[in-house]
Each structure stands twice: as C-alpha cells, then as structure tokens.
Amino acid sequence: MIQRPLLSSLVAFTLLGGAAAQQNEELEFNQRQAKALNAFAKKAFDKGFPRIAKVVWMQVHKLYDPENVEAWTALGYVKIGSSWNPDPKRPYPTTDTGSGADGQPLKSSYESLKKDLANQHRQQADKFAKAGRADRAQHHWRMVLRWVDNDEQAQKALSHVDVGGVTGTELEKTLFDRSKAIMKVVAEQSKTDYGIEDANVKCQPLDVAGVPYVTVQSEHFVLHGDASEKENLKEALRWAERTIAVCKVAFPWEVQFERGRVHWAYFTAEEAYKQVLKANKVPDLEWKLEHSKTSGVGNTVVGATSGRQTLFDACVRNVAQGYSGFGSDGFREGIGHTFVGMIFNNNRLFSVDLKKQQGTSASEEDREFTSPDFDVWKNLSLELAWRSTGGVPANKLAFCDASNFSNEERIKAWSFSDYMVRRDPTMLQKMDAIALELQKMRIKQPAEFEKAVQERCQVSLAQLDKEWEDFWTGASPVLKAIQNNTPPLSAISKGVDKWLEAFNAARKQLGKTPVTYSANFSARCKDHAEYLRKNKELKSPAELHTQSIDLGGSYPGSLFAQMALVQPGANVANAKKVLERWIYWPGYRDALMSNGILSVGMYLDGDLLVVNATSGIGAPKASDAGADCYPPRNDTNLIFDGEVPVAELGPEVAELLKANGREGKKTIGFPLTLHFGSTGGVPARGTLQCTVQNQKGEKIEGVLKFDDGVVRTTTAPGMATFWPLDPLKGKISFAWSWMGGDQQQVLRGAFSAK
C-alpha cells in the first residue's frame, strides 16, 4: 500500500525531469540560434549597414534570447538594475554607410543563415512531435516558415490553407482577402472621376475673419480655399469622394454624408488659418496657434496646407475619420493615418505638430518621424514590433492625447489601426467606444481597458498585440505578401557605388551635403526596376513614372514610381553626364538640391537605374534650413541650354504649353526652380512670385507652378518651378519673392542661356 504513492511520485519526478531536460535543451537551442544571428548582425554592422543589423539584433531578443547581453550592448543599451536602458554615451547609428560591394556578400551570407536556421527548427519540430509535444512542434514549424517561407513540410504540418498563391492560417486568409479588397478599390478609385462644381456657398467663420475664398462642391462635401488653388481644391474633393468608396469596402457599416452639410476650408498660407482662429476666438487659441495646423471652427474644419498633396491628405483623412465615427484621440488619429497611408503611401498632415521644430531636429532619428513617406513609417513600426518590450502596448492607445502624442505612440496608433482595419474593423470600433467610456468616467488604468476589450471582443488585448507584432514582422508567407516589402538585402545591387559617388559629387558642386546609401530604401527601387524590365516597351517619362496593374504593377508601386528618379540606358561610365542632364528636369534637380535628404535608395539593373530620393528625408538641420534656388543666386556665370525638349519632360509640360497657347511646341525655356523641401518651411503660397527678364529688361512670359504634378521630371514636393513658355537666349536675370511669416523674402540671380 505504501508503494503506490512512492511509484506515483517517481513517475511524476521522471516526467518533470524529462520536461526540465527538454526545457534546457530548447534553451540551449535558442542560444545557438542567437549566437548565429549575433554573428551576422555584427558583420552587417561592421560593413556599414546598421539598419539591417538593428533588426537582426532585435530578432535575437524577440525570437530567441530576451536577455542576450551581446545584442543589447550592440544596440547601445546599458543595464541599470534589472532593466536595459539606452546609453546616451553610445547612440546607435541611424544611417547606412555601406556600399553595394560590401552588401553583395551579405546577401548570400544571410540566405545561407536563413536556410540553416530553418533546418535547425525543422529538427526541433520533429523531436517535439515524437515526444508528443504538439504545441512546441507547431512553434518550430512556424519558425521554419519565418526563415524559409515556401517550406512545404512546414505548411503541411501547420494545416495551412491556400491564400493567394501562398499558404497560411484562416486568420491570415482574412487579413489577405481584406487587404486585397481594400487595395483593389483604392486602385480602381484612383482612376474614377467625380463631378465637382463651383459653388456660391458662404462660410461664416471665413466671412467673420475677412479671408477671401472660393468654394467648390461635390456630391457630399463643400470645400473653401484660395482662388489660385481652385483646380487643386476640385481634385481634393475627388479624393474625398473616392475615400467614401474605399471606406464602404473597409468598414462593414454604412455612413451617409448629408449633401452640403460637411464644410472644410484649407488655405496654403498658415497666416490665413491663424487669422480665422483669432477672428472667431476659438477655445485654447494660444495653444492652437502654436501647435496646430487644423481646427474645428463652428461647423467648418479649417486648416493650413503647404501644398496640393497636403490638401489631398487632409480631405482623405477627414472622410476616413468621419466615416469611422471614432472619437478617442488614439484611434481617431490612427484611422486618419491609416487611410491616407493606404491611398497615398505618405502623410503630410497632423492635427498637432509632431514636435515644434521650426526647421530643426534634435537627432537623425527624430527627423525620420517627420518624413512624410510611409515606407519610413513602416520601418519605424517594424522596429517597434521587433522590440522585446513590444514598444508601445495597445492598451495605451485608449488613453493617448493628441495634444501630446509621442512619436512612438503615433506610429503605434497608426500601425495598430491599420492592422485592425484589415482584421476586424468592428472590433476596433468597440475599442474606440470603450476608450470613450473610460475617458468619460476619468478612468486611466490600462487594466480596465484590457478587461473591457476581453469581455466585448472575446479576445485578449495581449493576443491582438501579438498578432500585430507578427503582422508587421512578416511572421508567415501570407503576412510577408500583404506587406509586399522586398527584403532589404535582396535590394542591394552591383554598380550603385559609383552612381552614389557621382550623385554626391553633383550635390557637392551645388553646395549640398553628401547622402548615404540605404539598402532599406532600395527595396522599392528594385521592385520598380523589375517592373520596367518586364515591360521594356515603356520608355516615355509618363510610362517610366507609373505602374499599370494590367502589366503586373501595383497601385503602391505606381505611387512610388511617380516620385522616383528613373534613368534608362544608364551605365557607370556616363554617370556624370546623366546627372548633368538631370539639372534640366526640375523634379530630378530637386533631389540634387534638397537639404533634407539623408539617405537614398538605389538599384541598378543592367542599363536601368532607379533612385529613391523621397524616403530618406526629414526636417533639415538649422544650418541647412531655408529656401534655395536654381540657377543659384551666388553664381552668375553659369551657362545653360536655353530650351529643353518637351519629350524629355513628359505630358504635363505639353499640357501646360497647350493651356497657354503654345500647343504643339517641341521645346520650352530652361526652367527656374525654388526649393523649400517637403517637410516644412513652405511659404504662403499665394504670395509666391517669380519675375524673369532678358538683358533688355523685358519681362519673360512664363507659368509659375508650385508642388503641382505627378511626374518627377516636372515636380517634387516643396518645389516651385517657373516655366518660360519660349526658349531663352542671352543674359537672364530673375527674382523670387514670397512672404515667410511676417517678412518678405527675396532671392535674386542671373545666368546665361545659349
């Protein structure tokens, strides 16, 4: 009788001992994988690719060893007590300096590493399966797919279903199908026209302020703004109507916007916006004047937009927020950023400034947050997702205050909202309602929010956070397909070193600081180069700067292509000559003139070069801030061709000539440009002027365009162009003038045209 309990104890001890042995074995296994990843990350870091190294070291913490000292130390952290904290004495580098030649061996090394990691996990999965530990076996099969996404054995073991040509779980199928449906309607709507008409509708807040305005109206919305911006106002309303169609697919509920009830007023000059706020004595006036760019005044949303794209962003954002009905700051801001990102892949408008920087930035990292390019935001979100701490937990979003959003809170609010729209927008709606209820009761405990979410949504917030992490880190083939991001290392190409050298030489000649090469920012370049390689017949400026879905392209790819620098027939020997020609194309010239560019992406595919000069930008340093012009004001001895072929510039210039009585002309005068950068410092648009004269003092006829157009040869964000309608000859003088704040700004110069 007394032996039975003893026998039971021995069995239990044996089982516990076996479990402990398995635990120890798995711990040792994880440490081996961490060691392999550490070695690769160090190699990438030493070769000048800290961005790639950073993600790999984060993988060490997230996937294998949360307390790995080597990874923490390499990332610039120091342990204080029981926690790791950033070491201010060792800031982690934020820009790549490595070359294409350095990156090539890394590519093959990383591919070998991924295969080895997958094989190691496969062996572990087999061991656990034989031991009857299906849960651990499943974990290791998932890890196999993380490293090698087409492994058929892992797909079968996980009972994956077919999802758009790859395999995944039922949840991933939902994410994929909804993402595909949303992007399909976005692509369709981008080509859909809506009737916009002039309207004689009064706006009381504007009348009180005495601000002159014109009004345009669509089926659902009324928009007031500068008379000079009427065509852009009309296009903005088209995007507002298009966004309704996108919302109908993204949300499972119907919202009706009553015709003529929704009023917006957007002005290019910030002073006009401030004038409206002052005249109407809005609440929190002083704070809004200092920090905001948009505010509700009566029944009208009033704002300041520096350019056409900011105006479009504002209207899309307004529709998305109105359609969702979200009222908490975190989810309302998040949903606004989500739809602007889905539709335009950038974001130029915040209800509150990220930081009151006034053209400065504390660090390169802060400058990234000011970049309007959503590829940069995606990288930032990816870093949040890889952090062993999880970055900003979702339970904090319910208590975010838009007046003091931190950078990381804003990124998480956007990326979590983006994920939930793809997963289940009704659940996100419930979260917003819970957040509002807690705010009314003045409850600020995250635990209360988590409890309510569990009760009403039947899923834990911790689980949703884990799903969000997996989504952004591309934990499965399906999630990678949804993100549609080319792995950075695969975007490293041969021959970019000399092109980067030539690019920086051209910038140096223009008095600009050199930029670094970024493998991360080269991913889009690779995708577009592959698209053009498949469609070799595409050769005109318009064709080179777009992608057609019918030809294997994508809508996000087309958005990138519009602002990319594309050079067919390029070869290393002619780099200098090619860049000299870019000076004649205003949008390309802007890439060489911009003070805000830190890094560029480049991909060279034989005789085809694609450059990404939009992702690696941010607010310029104080020493580099301010407007600059070309021809430059400090060199009057420059000589240019007095005319530029229209065929080089594209259809937008042909349309400009047609609209000004020069239809059919094959050349246009050498364009003059004024560069403000895309992240701020843009002038009061209506005050911008350019006066051009020949050596006899005769005024030269031309058209002034500011931040207008979609083809990079002719436009760039934050750039004004004066297009002489006829060829130039002889000595030419010019004067740019605009209101910068309360002061008149003037830049003068001269050049010769032959």
Side-chain angles (χ1 to χ4, degrees):
M1 295 292 293
I2 61 171
Q3 291 184 353
R4 187 172 293 181
L6 178 61
L7 180 61
S8 298
S9 298
L10 287 171
V11 171
F13 182 79
T14 303
L15 290 172
L16 286 170
Q22 285 183 332
Q23 257 185 341
N24 288 333
E25 184 182 343
E26 195 162 19
L27 179 63
E28 291 174 3
F29 169 84
N30 286 339
Q31 289 174 342
R32 289 196 302 272
Q33 312 319 303
K35 185 177 179 181
L37 286 168
N38 269 326
F40 176 80
K42 187 176 184 308
K43 185 188 295 184
F45 186 93
D46 291 343
K47 291 293 184 181
F49 295 95
R51 288 179 176 271
I52 293 168
K54 187 176 187 177
V55 171
V56 175
W57 273 315
M58 286 179 168
Q59 289 174 330
V60 170
H61 289 145
K62 199 76 171 184
L63 303 177
Y64 297 108
D65 186 2
E67 286 296 312
N68 190 276
V69 175
E70 184 177 348
W72 277 119
T73 305
L75 288 168
Y77 282 72
V78 62
K79 197 165 189 179
I80 302 174
S82 61
S83 63
W84 290 91
N85 298 277
D87 186 352
K89 297 179 181 178
R90 296 187 304 112
Y92 192 86
T94 58
T95 56
D96 295 331
T97 57
S99 65
D102 291 329
Q104 284 292 316
L106 283 175
K107 285 172 64 176
S108 55
S109 177
Y110 191 56
E111 289 304 312
S112 297
L113 175 61
K114 288 195 298 182
K115 289 178 183 178
D116 185 58
L117 290 169
N119 286 330
Q120 296 291 327
H121 281 288
R122 186 180 290 105
Q123 293 172 19
Q124 289 294 110
D126 287 337
K127 283 183 182 180
F128 278 109
K130 290 174 181 176
R133 293 288 307 279
D135 58 331
R136 297 311 302 163
Q138 294 274 300
H139 163 75
H140 286 284
W141 284 125
R142 286 192 292 271
M143 292 299 293
V144 169
L145 289 180
R146 183 181 279 279
W147 296 116
V148 178
D149 58 16
N150 61 349
D151 190 278
E152 293 182 2
Q153 191 179 1
Q155 292 167 350
K156 185 177 179 181
L158 294 168
S159 303
H160 275 187
V161 297
D162 181 74
V163 184
V166 295
T167 66
T169 65
E170 290 293 342
L171 173 59
E172 289 170 347
K173 187 176 188 306
T174 297
L175 290 166
F176 185 88
D177 290 345
R178 283 188 52 76
S179 296
K180 189 175 180 180
I182 291 169
M183 293 317 297
K184 181 176 182 249
V185 73
V186 166
E188 291 171 349
Q189 285 297 310
S190 69
K191 302 174 184 178
T192 303
D193 196 13
Y194 289 88
I196 313 297
E197 49 192 46
D198 294 345
N200 185 22
V201 179
K202 293 298 181 181
C203 180
Q204 185 179 4
L206 303 186
D207 292 336
V208 169
V211 176
Y213 61 93
V214 295
T215 303
V216 295
Q217 185 171 303
S218 65
E219 180 181 353
H220 298 103
F221 309 108
V222 177
L223 179 58
H224 313 279
D226 302 301
S228 60
E229 297 297 303
K230 184 185 284 189
E231 291 307 311
N232 286 332
L233 295 173
K234 288 183 176 181
E235 184 63 16
L237 282 192
R238 290 187 188 96
W239 278 112
E241 295 291 342
R242 292 163 183 163
T243 305
I244 293 178
V246 178
C247 287
K248 286 180 178 179
V249 173
F251 296 112
W253 57 83
E254 189 77 20
V255 173
Q256 298 294 332
F257 291 96
E258 187 177 336
R259 178 180 174 89
R261 188 170 180 180
V262 179
H263 284 238
W264 305 321
Y266 287 105
F267 299 91
T268 56
E270 191 172 343
E271 287 306 310
Y273 164 68
K274 291 181 178 180
Q275 187 177 334
V276 176
L277 266 57
K278 292 175 183 175
N280 288 273
K281 300 177 181 178
V282 298
D284 303 317
L285 177 61
E286 293 304 317
W287 187 92
K288 289 180 178 178
L289 291 175
E290 180 69 14
H291 296 280
S292 73
K293 295 286 181 65
T294 182
S295 181
V297 184
N299 71 334
T300 305
V301 175
V302 183
T305 60
S306 56
R308 69 195 298 267
Q309 189 58 61
T310 310
L311 174 64
F312 300 168
D313 286 5
C315 292
V316 168
R317 168 196 175 94
N318 290 343
V319 174
Q321 291 177 335
Y323 199 104
S324 72
F326 294 171
S328 66
D329 284 359
F331 295 121
R332 183 174 175 81
E333 283 290 285
I335 209 69
H337 293 319
T338 292
F339 277 78
V340 172
M342 285 178 170
I343 292 174
F344 296 129
N345 202 48
N346 65 29
N347 189 86
R348 300 178 187 278
L349 186 71
F350 307 89
S351 36
V352 179
D353 288 347
L354 289 178
K355 289 179 181 289
K356 189 62 179 176
Q357 293 177 320
Q358 298 180 335
T360 67
S361 190
S363 68
E364 289 186 355
E365 185 177 359
D366 286 337
R367 293 171 73 179
E368 287 193 345
F369 287 101
T370 67
S371 172
D373 194 283
F374 254 64
D375 284 344
V376 179
W377 279 37
K378 288 173 184 175
N379 285 335
L380 294 169
S381 186
L382 180 64
E383 288 188 11
L384 282 183
W386 273 123
R387 288 184 187 177
S388 59
T389 57
V392 178
N395 60 22
K396 284 192 175 182
L397 299 180
F399 309 103
C400 284
D401 183 350
S403 65
N404 57 12
F405 254 163
S406 71
N407 289 331
E408 290 187 349
E409 285 175 340
R410 186 177 294 277
I411 294 293
K412 181 61 179 284
W414 154 66
S415 61
F416 186 80
S417 297
D418 179 276
Y419 171 72
M420 292 303 299
V421 165
R422 301 169 194 268
R423 187 196 193 281
D424 186 352
T426 303
M427 194 178 293
L428 188 63
Q429 186 186 48
K430 291 177 181 177
M431 290 181 191
D432 176 69
I434 295 168
L436 289 174
E437 289 172 17
L438 293 177
Q439 289 171 25
K440 286 180 181 178
M441 293 185 289
R442 299 188 177 180
I443 296 174
K444 296 185 177 181
Q445 287 80 32
E448 292 296 322
F449 182 65
E450 291 182 26
K451 181 182 176 182
V453 170
Q454 178 74 58
E455 291 174 353
R456 297 190 202 181
C457 302
Q458 301 300 300
V459 63
S460 73
L461 204 55
Q463 174 61 31
L464 293 176
D465 244 341
K466 177 63 170 61
E467 291 177 10
W468 167 83
E469 289 175 8
D470 286 344
F471 177 78
W472 281 98
T473 60
S476 77
V478 175
L479 301 182
K480 291 173 186 174
I482 295 171
Q483 292 294 352
N484 194 31
N485 284 336
T486 304
L489 281 165
S490 68
I492 297 174
S493 63
K494 295 180 180 178
V496 298
D497 302 351
K498 292 186 178 179
W499 276 98
L500 180 67
E501 184 181 348
F503 189 88
N504 279 328
R507 283 179 60 85
K508 184 179 180 180
Q509 197 171 9
L510 295 167
K512 306 302 174 183
T513 55
V515 300
T516 58
Y517 166 79
S518 170
N520 294 62
F521 299 153
S522 300
R524 293 276 187 188
C525 302
K526 179 179 185 290
D527 292 343
H528 190 52
E530 291 177 344
Y531 168 83
L532 292 175
R533 186 61 68 197
K534 291 176 186 174
N535 301 281
K536 293 183 179 180
E537 70 280 4
L538 306 177
K539 295 180 181 180
S540 71
E543 292 171 329
L544 293 173
H545 289 89
T546 190
Q547 287 188 16
S548 170
I549 295 175
D550 296 337
L551 297 177
S554 67
Y555 184 65
S558 185
L559 292 176
F560 167 77
Q562 288 175 1
M563 287 295 109
L565 313 181
V566 184
Q567 182 64 56
N571 60 68
V572 173
N574 287 337
K576 183 179 178 185
K577 187 176 180 181
V578 167
L579 289 166
E580 287 174 351
R581 193 60 194 170
W582 284 7
I583 286 292
Y584 287 80
W585 307 342
Y588 283 44
R589 179 193 300 173
D590 183 78
L592 300 174
M593 292 286 295
S594 173
N595 290 319
I597 297 179
L598 300 173
S599 299
V600 295
M602 287 187 174
Y603 191 81
L604 188 65
D605 185 0
D607 60 352
L608 176 65
L609 175 72
V610 182
V611 179
N612 176 359
T614 57
S615 294
I617 62 174
K621 296 176 181 177
S623 58
D624 295 329
D628 207 354
C629 62
Y630 197 88
R633 54 183 166 171
N634 55 1
D635 190 348
T636 60
N637 297 314
L638 292 175
I639 303 174
F640 304 99
D641 292 336
E643 55 187 346
V644 185
V646 173
E648 284 186 14
L649 298 166
E652 291 180 335
V653 174
E655 287 298 316
L656 182 147
L657 288 169
K658 181 181 178 180
N660 289 274
R662 305 294 199 281
E663 185 175 3
K665 285 198 66 174
K666 298 195 182 292
T667 62
I668 197 167
F670 179 82
L672 289 73
T673 51
L674 183 64
H675 307 262
F676 295 95
S678 62
T679 59
V682 177
R685 193 179 176 111
T687 69
L688 185 61
Q689 295 182 10
C690 185
T691 304
V692 185
Q693 297 179 327
N694 62 21
Q695 54 196 2
K696 297 179 181 179
E698 297 167 334
K699 188 176 179 180
I700 290 172
E701 189 180 358
V703 178
L704 180 61
K705 294 287 221 179
F706 182 60
D707 204 11
D708 284 333
V710 294
V711 179
R712 184 71 194 232
T713 50
T714 60
T715 191
M719 182 191 75
T721 305
F722 180 86
W723 295 97
L725 294 174
D726 299 301
L728 301 178
K729 189 175 181 180
K731 198 73 173 179
I732 306 296
S733 62
F734 62 85
W736 291 97
S737 64
W738 68 96
M739 289 298 296
D742 297 328
Q743 295 184 336
Q744 180 83 6
Q745 305 291 324
V746 180
L747 291 180
R748 303 179 187 275
F751 64 98
S752 295
K754 61 179 181 179

